[in-house]
Amino acid sequence: LNQKKFRQFEAIFHPKSVAVVGASSNRMKDGAIFFQNLLNAGFKGKVYPVNSAESEILGLKSYPKVSAIPGPVDYVLVAVPARLVLEVIEDCVAKGVKAVQIYTAGFREAGTQQGRWLEEEIVKRAQEGGFRLIGPNCLGLYNPSINLNLWGLPPAEAGSVAIISQSGGVAGRATLAASARGVQFSKVVSYGNGADLDSTDFLEYFAADPDTRIIGIYIEGVRDGQRLFQLLQQTGKTKPVVVWKGGKTEAGAEVAMAHTGSLAASNHVWEALSRQAGMTKVDNQDDLVGTLLAFYYLGEFRGRSAGILCGLTRGGGGESVSATDTCSSLGLTVPPFSPQTRRKLAAILPWPGTILRNALDVSIWKEAETVRRALDAIAADPGIDLIIICERIHMLLDRMPKEAVQAINQVFIQLRKQQPKPVVVISPPGFPTTSEQWQIEQELAAARIPVYSSLEEAAKAIARVSQYFAWRAGLNED
Amino acid sequence: LNQKKFRQFEAIFHPKSVAVVGASSNRMKDGAIFFQNLLNAGFKGKVYPVNSAESEILGLKSYPKVSAIPGPVDYVLVAVPARLVLEVIEDCVAKGVKAVQIYTAGFREAGTQQGRWLEEEIVKRAQEGGFRLIGPNCLGLYNPSINLNLWGLPPAEAGSVAIISQSGGVAGRATLAASARGVQFSKVVSYGNGADLDSTDFLEYFAADPDTRIIGIYIEGVRDGQRLFQLLQQTGKTKPVVVWKGGKTEAGAEVAMAHTGSLAASNHVWEALSRQAGMTKVDNQDDLVGTLLAFYYLGEFRGRSAGILCGLTRGGGGESVSATDTCSSLGLTVPPFSPQTRRKLAAILPWPGTILRNALDVSIWKEAETVRRALDAIAADPGIDLIIICERIHMLLDRMPKEAVQAINQVFIQLRKQQPKPVVVISPPGFPTTSEQWQIEQELAAARIPVYSSLEEAAKAIARVSQYFAWRAGLNED
């Protein structure tokens, strides 16, 4: 990415002013929701509503068109019916804007000649006007560093994860789900049909972006597959790239055509690509979020040997067996503890029914201090690379005072702080998950402990991180 | 199963009196918890605490030993240290009881000669005394029809699902999780080491039990593999049997040895077994619960073609693509709607951005009446066997008044009632799940709509039910 193009993208992702065409006082209009979200989020720049039928919207003067706005306009969000979009684009050319996001659907993906023609026209006009297009049929940008939050996401600090998503729904939901587990984002983009800017452009930018450390992608199709593959290969050498491909099955590919007008690359091309080292393939949204979570919290983790603690809520024997099965079959190992560790554990947990091996079953709940000593012994074992705690917070809360549960979780937080091996907590949803459970999970996340609702999800994600960094380390040694 | 043996099991599962050896006023003792749970649950029979150190426990006279109890004693739960168990068993022989459950651990699974000897001794004495043993190292029985609830499970009506589990933790957690989704149980048994009564005995009984329609099994190892395999094959012809094998990996098998003293059957034997038609193999606890849920709610379902509704919370395009991928790759099909259905949908949903094909993306939220009309059109399509609704209740509740969300869910409930095709709802957990979400999910379950937290889980489970009943139908045709 040359300096000029990089600066162009920087400007697109950091607009100083945003116009919302289709903003309205009628809260049922989509433009109204975007506009209100932007104001609510406290966007750090100027916001202009554009609607010729209203003079003032939420206390701001409304303009009849973009070119009627007195100051410069960097970013224009278009949320008016498809038949009006061309006129808006022409007005943006007249105004001289930097980027236009078209939320409106009804272009190439509609499968009509009219839709295809309209999409080609707007791209042509944008090129003539010297600005870039995002969309159509998309939710556009999210940049928490300037509170550019069009989607009504909860307020959040900026972080190091970027998502490129062809689907707005996936972009919004994946960002929300990962945020709920403490992940912070540099930028997210939903680009829909990708008529002008496509996945390749955004990937090129995020690869160069110093604020972005980890990249997640949801993609249905791409114009230039060759270029995307090269970029993925190149980017993977310095940043983890997690890719979820939609439309992998024949039936799914047909829906993708109707969704973003994407001619999905044939599946065997994607399969071949995914066998390339350096790219991390995932299969669904939970998988994408879970894997980003592991990359976010585990650092440059290359180990595979899990030390597992089960049975905090009694009846941990079956859990020990199945946790061992799960980790062993999903790419981790559950090695025997060293003789020294076993001796330590025998002294700490002398009760019958306690399985003194990996996965350790503490079996009958002990006070926080006993749990702490057992975990310290496991963490000190040189054969163990990371610690997985099969906690069931909702069951603990059913059986113990809240303070006792908090005390146990403080043990996990201290363990994370006082030694270098990553700590991962498994906490299935309750029936339902209470705010007490949620609060504890938030405290764990704040201490850089990723919380997963199932061990399957966690083991898969951890194994991927390990596999990626082991590959990258090998690369550097060559 | 001959009549005599069937009646013996009926008596074991329907005790008229229970003695808890190790009951106590000290609430930290395990015996105290069992005893209190039994009283709290309102067990429909006599309850006797046995503890020579106390004269009265929770208002009931405490007996020094089982043989000191004046009336007949059917079921004895033993929760005293291992070294005292033999003496208790001898006292049970003297008393003449029908069954003894040994909760205590420290027998064969301890891996010591002493443990093995002790286990053999108690089996010998029980045989001499003419009664059966459950355990040792187990949580014993759950029978909601007589409120025999030792585990502190929430009160529940009796139903048609039975679980046989070698692990008490798995038995308790799977029962709790399935109950939370509306499943009702006939009986559940945790049998631990299976020193006397083993998985084969319980399977034989549940196969004959008219109250049991569906059987779930968690098993680590078995004494007589040949007999188990024959029973599974035989039982599968009349009742679905869902089997989760713990200790499948080498590492997991070693833990199983330490947990229940089980010599896990070699994995290739289990793999061969699982290829047999008629047995439904699952891989973990969520999988077991999800599959029992599908068998419980779907009836004798043999179809494969899902009609899917997405996009209730907007941004459903990516969801449509990925839902189609997920179902297509996990054993279901997502066929195109008939031309007639497409015409109907085009009239009901004329907005751009709506994907008028299967998986239908209603894209931008419409009022309940529009959703109802769209679902009616899908349900009427002769090519569709069941309806899957990708709902995101937590997101709906974020965006709409609770009453509007309830109105939409009423549409699903009415759909379930007014036509014969099964309806399945996908509702991921919220951040956290609110009581409003939980209440709606409970209402859906009460209307016989299974609720899954992920489509992956649902699709896998539905495909298994379909596969099983298609196999069984073929069997009857031969």
Side-chain angles (χ1 to χ4, degrees):
Chain A
L1 194 69
N2 64 42
Q3 276 300 313
K4 194 183 149 209
K5 202 170 168 195
F6 181 74
R7 278 198 301 271
Q8 186 187 27
F9 272 93
E10 281 287 285
I12 292 172
F13 275 87
H14 298 83
K16 294 193 169 58
S17 49
V18 174
V20 179
V21 183
S24 169
S25 306
N26 175 355
R27 295 230 38 214
M28 292 306 287
K29 299 276 183 188
D30 295 322
I33 298 169
F34 285 122
F35 182 65
Q36 172 132 43
N37 284 342
L38 205 52
L39 292 186
N40 288 350
F43 169 62
K44 296 175 180 171
K46 290 216 167 84
V47 183
Y48 302 107
V50 176
N51 184 335
S52 59
E54 302 190 44
S55 59
E56 195 188 287
I57 299 170
L58 297 177
L60 290 178
K61 176 180 161 56
S62 173
Y63 295 90
K65 48 189 188 171
V66 174
S67 60
I69 296 168
V73 175
D74 288 349
Y75 188 91
V76 180
L77 190 168
V78 182
V80 295
R83 67 192 149 74
L84 304 176
V85 169
L86 195 54
E87 198 183 320
V88 175
I89 296 293
E90 277 165 355
D91 186 49
C92 289
V93 174
K95 174 70 183 171
V97 303
K98 284 184 182 146
V100 175
Q101 171 207 336
I102 302 169
Y103 162 72
T104 311
F107 293 81
R108 180 164 40 115
E109 89 288 355
T112 62
Q113 214 177 339
Q114 164 73 4
R116 217 161 29 242
W117 174 82
L118 202 54
E119 187 161 314
E120 283 163 16
E121 277 307 296
I122 56 170
V123 173
K124 235 181 275 172
R125 304 296 160 93
Q127 278 166 352
E128 287 162 16
F131 59 82
R132 306 305 304 252
L133 279 185
I134 300 159
N137 186 22
C138 76
L139 291 187
L141 307 186
Y142 169 63
N143 181 351
S145 73
I146 54 168
N147 297 343
L148 178 62
N149 179 351
L150 295 160
W151 311 340
L153 293 169
E157 301 286 307
S160 57
V161 177
I163 292 181
I164 302 169
S165 172
Q166 195 149 10
S167 153
V170 170
R173 289 189 296 267
T175 305
L176 185 66
S179 298
R181 294 299 190 192
V183 171
Q184 292 169 335
F185 289 88
S186 56
K187 286 114 188 166
V188 179
V189 55
S190 142
Y191 66 93
N193 295 7
D196 175 24
L197 291 178
D198 201 0
S199 51
T200 49
D201 301 293
F202 296 112
L203 181 56
E204 216 177 0
Y205 169 56
F206 289 148
D209 176 23
D211 295 337
T212 296
R213 191 168 63 83
I214 300 158
I215 301 167
I217 302 184
Y218 171 76
I219 194 171
E220 294 181 356
V222 62
R223 273 200 312 281
D224 188 348
Q226 187 71 21
R227 187 168 162 235
L228 178 66
F229 293 180
Q230 283 168 354
L231 276 171
L232 283 168
Q233 211 163 15
Q234 195 52 39
T235 309
K237 289 178 187 164
T238 54
K239 299 182 184 187
V241 185
V242 182
V243 183
W244 171 26
K245 168 69 173 71
K248 266 185 303 198
T249 60
E250 207 177 311
E254 283 173 36
V255 182
M257 184 47 138
H259 176 220
T260 52
S262 291
L263 253 180
S266 76
N267 203 23
H268 72 262
V269 174
W270 282 100
E271 284 301 317
L273 173 69
S274 70
R275 278 195 299 272
Q276 273 182 209
M279 187 187 100
T280 301
K281 194 184 70 153
V282 295
D283 288 320
N284 56 56
Q285 185 182 304
D286 290 345
D287 218 9
L288 173 66
V289 171
T291 305
L292 290 176
L293 208 61
F295 273 112
Y296 190 72
Y297 285 117
L298 262 54
E300 300 203 358
F301 180 73
R302 289 198 256 158
R304 287 197 174 264
S305 304
I308 308 178
L309 183 88
C310 296
L312 285 169
T313 53
R314 306 152 157 264
E319 194 171 57
S320 287
V321 174
S322 65
T324 306
D325 274 345
T326 298
C327 288
S328 305
S329 57
L330 293 175
L332 300 181
T333 64
V334 188
F337 292 132
S338 74
Q340 200 191 348
T341 306
R342 280 205 296 274
R343 275 195 301 275
K344 284 193 217 167
L345 290 172
I348 299 164
L349 300 158
W351 300 272
T354 306
I355 300 176
L356 290 179
R357 41 169 305 138
N358 200 8
L360 179 70
D361 167 23
V362 296
S363 193
I364 289 156
W365 175 71
K366 306 299 171 327
E367 69 288 358
E369 178 58 16
T370 309
V371 174
R372 185 191 67 70
R373 291 170 60 208
L375 283 172
D376 283 350
I378 296 174
D381 191 311
I384 296 300
D385 299 322
L386 92 161
I387 296 110
I388 298 178
I389 297 158
C390 295
E391 194 180 4
R392 296 180 181 274
I393 297 175
H394 69 100
M395 294 185 78
L396 287 179
L397 285 167
D398 274 354
R399 291 167 192 205
M400 292 193 243
K402 191 182 162 191
E403 294 67 33
V405 182
Q406 284 171 327
I408 288 199
N409 280 279
Q410 274 306 316
V411 168
F412 307 154
I413 290 171
Q414 292 308 316
L415 178 72
R416 179 72 186 83
K417 284 190 185 155
Q418 285 162 4
Q419 54 80 49
K421 297 177 184 174
V423 177
V424 174
V425 162
I426 314 301
S427 175
F431 310 117
T433 300
T434 60
S435 55
E436 283 78 18
Q437 173 173 353
W438 191 245
Q439 188 199 323
I440 290 171
E441 292 180 9
Q442 298 292 295
E443 285 164 15
L444 292 169
R448 303 197 62 73
I449 297 176
V451 178
Y452 288 89
S453 57
S454 84
L455 180 60
E456 283 72 24
E457 222 184 302
K460 267 195 295 185
I462 296 164
R464 284 172 182 147
V465 170
S466 157
Q467 193 171 15
Y468 169 76
F469 282 110
W471 167 80
R472 223 173 75 174
L475 210 67
N476 295 336
E477 280 157 19
D478 288 347
Chain B
L1 194 68
N2 63 41
Q3 276 300 315
K4 194 184 151 210
K5 201 168 168 197
F6 180 76
R7 277 197 303 271
Q8 185 185 27
F9 273 93
E10 282 285 286
I12 292 173
F13 275 89
H14 298 82
K16 294 193 170 55
S17 50
V18 174
V20 179
V21 183
S24 170
S25 304
N26 174 357
R27 294 233 35 215
M28 294 306 287
K29 299 276 184 190
D30 295 322
I33 297 169
F34 285 121
F35 182 64
Q36 171 133 43
N37 285 341
L38 204 53
L39 291 186
N40 288 351
F43 169 62
K44 295 177 180 170
K46 290 216 166 86
V47 182
Y48 302 106
V50 176
N51 185 335
S52 59
E54 304 190 43
S55 60
E56 194 188 288
I57 299 170
L58 296 178
L60 290 180
K61 174 180 162 53
S62 174
Y63 295 89
K65 49 187 188 171
V66 174
S67 59
I69 296 169
V73 174
D74 289 348
Y75 188 90
V76 180
L77 190 166
V78 183
V80 295
R83 64 191 151 76
L84 306 177
V85 169
L86 196 54
E87 196 182 321
V88 175
I89 296 293
E90 279 165 357
D91 186 47
C92 289
V93 174
K95 174 68 184 172
V97 305
K98 284 186 182 146
V100 175
Q101 171 206 336
I102 302 169
Y103 162 73
T104 311
F107 292 82
R108 177 164 42 114
E109 88 288 355
T112 61
Q113 215 177 337
Q114 164 74 5
R116 219 164 24 244
W117 174 83
L118 202 54
E119 186 161 315
E120 284 161 15
E121 278 307 297
I122 55 170
V123 173
K124 236 181 276 168
R125 306 294 160 94
Q127 277 166 353
E128 289 162 17
F131 58 82
R132 306 306 301 257
L133 278 184
I134 300 160
N137 186 23
C138 76
L139 291 187
L141 308 186
Y142 168 63
N143 181 351
S145 73
I146 53 168
N147 298 341
L148 178 63
N149 178 353
L150 296 160
W151 311 340
L153 292 169
E157 301 287 307
S160 57
V161 177
I163 292 181
I164 301 168
S165 172
Q166 196 149 13
S167 154
V170 169
R173 289 190 295 268
T175 305
L176 186 66
S179 297
R181 293 300 189 191
V183 171
Q184 293 169 337
F185 288 87
S186 56
K187 287 115 188 166
V188 179
V189 56
S190 143
Y191 66 92
N193 295 7
D196 175 22
L197 291 177
D198 202 359
S199 51
T200 47
D201 301 294
F202 296 112
L203 181 56
E204 215 178 0
Y205 168 55
F206 289 149
D209 176 22
D211 294 337
T212 296
R213 190 167 64 84
I214 300 158
I215 301 167
I217 303 184
Y218 172 76
I219 193 170
E220 295 181 355
V222 62
R223 273 199 314 279
D224 188 347
Q226 187 72 22
R227 185 167 164 236
L228 178 66
F229 293 179
Q230 282 167 352
L231 275 172
L232 283 169
Q233 209 164 16
Q234 194 52 42
T235 309
K237 288 178 189 165
T238 54
K239 298 182 183 185
V241 184
V242 182
V243 182
W244 172 25
K245 168 70 173 70
K248 266 185 305 197
T249 61
E250 207 177 311
E254 283 174 35
V255 181
M257 184 49 141
H259 176 220
T260 52
S262 289
L263 252 181
S266 76
N267 202 24
H268 71 263
V269 173
W270 282 99
E271 285 302 318
L273 174 69
S274 70
R275 277 196 298 274
Q276 273 183 208
M279 188 187 99
T280 301
K281 193 184 70 153
V282 295
D283 289 320
N284 56 56
Q285 185 181 303
D286 290 346
D287 220 10
L288 172 66
V289 171
T291 304
L292 290 177
L293 208 60
F295 273 112
Y296 189 72
Y297 285 118
L298 261 54
E300 300 201 0
F301 181 72
R302 287 197 256 157
R304 286 199 175 266
S305 305
I308 308 178
L309 183 88
C310 295
L312 285 169
T313 54
R314 302 151 159 268
E319 193 172 56
S320 287
V321 173
S322 64
T324 306
D325 275 345
T326 298
C327 288
S328 306
S329 57
L330 293 175
L332 301 181
T333 65
V334 187
F337 291 134
S338 74
Q340 200 193 348
T341 305
R342 279 205 297 273
R343 274 196 301 277
K344 283 193 218 168
L345 290 172
I348 299 164
L349 301 158
W351 300 272
T354 306
I355 299 175
L356 290 179
R357 41 170 303 139
N358 199 8
L360 180 70
D361 166 24
V362 297
S363 193
I364 289 156
W365 176 72
K366 305 299 173 326
E367 68 289 354
E369 177 57 16
T370 309
V371 174
R372 184 190 66 71
R373 290 172 59 208
L375 283 172
D376 283 349
I378 296 173
D381 191 312
I384 296 301
D385 299 323
L386 92 161
I387 295 109
I388 299 179
I389 297 158
C390 295
E391 194 180 5
R392 297 180 180 273
I393 297 174
H394 69 100
M395 296 185 77
L396 288 178
L397 285 166
D398 275 353
R399 292 167 192 204
M400 293 194 245
K402 191 182 162 192
E403 294 67 32
V405 183
Q406 284 171 326
I408 288 196
N409 280 279
Q410 273 306 318
V411 168
F412 308 155
I413 290 171
Q414 290 310 315
L415 178 72
R416 179 71 185 85
K417 284 189 184 154
Q418 285 163 4
Q419 52 81 50
K421 297 176 184 175
V423 177
V424 173
V425 162
I426 314 302
S427 175
F431 311 117
T433 300
T434 59
S435 55
E436 284 79 17
Q437 173 173 351
W438 191 246
Q439 187 199 323
I440 290 172
E441 292 180 7
Q442 298 291 296
E443 285 164 14
L444 292 169
R448 302 197 62 73
I449 297 175
V451 178
Y452 288 88
S453 57
S454 83
L455 180 60
E456 284 70 26
E457 219 183 302
K460 267 194 294 186
I462 295 165
R464 284 171 181 147
V465 171
S466 155
Q467 195 171 15
Y468 170 76
F469 283 109
W471 167 81
R472 220 172 78 173
L475 210 68
N476 295 336
E477 280 158 18
D478 288 349

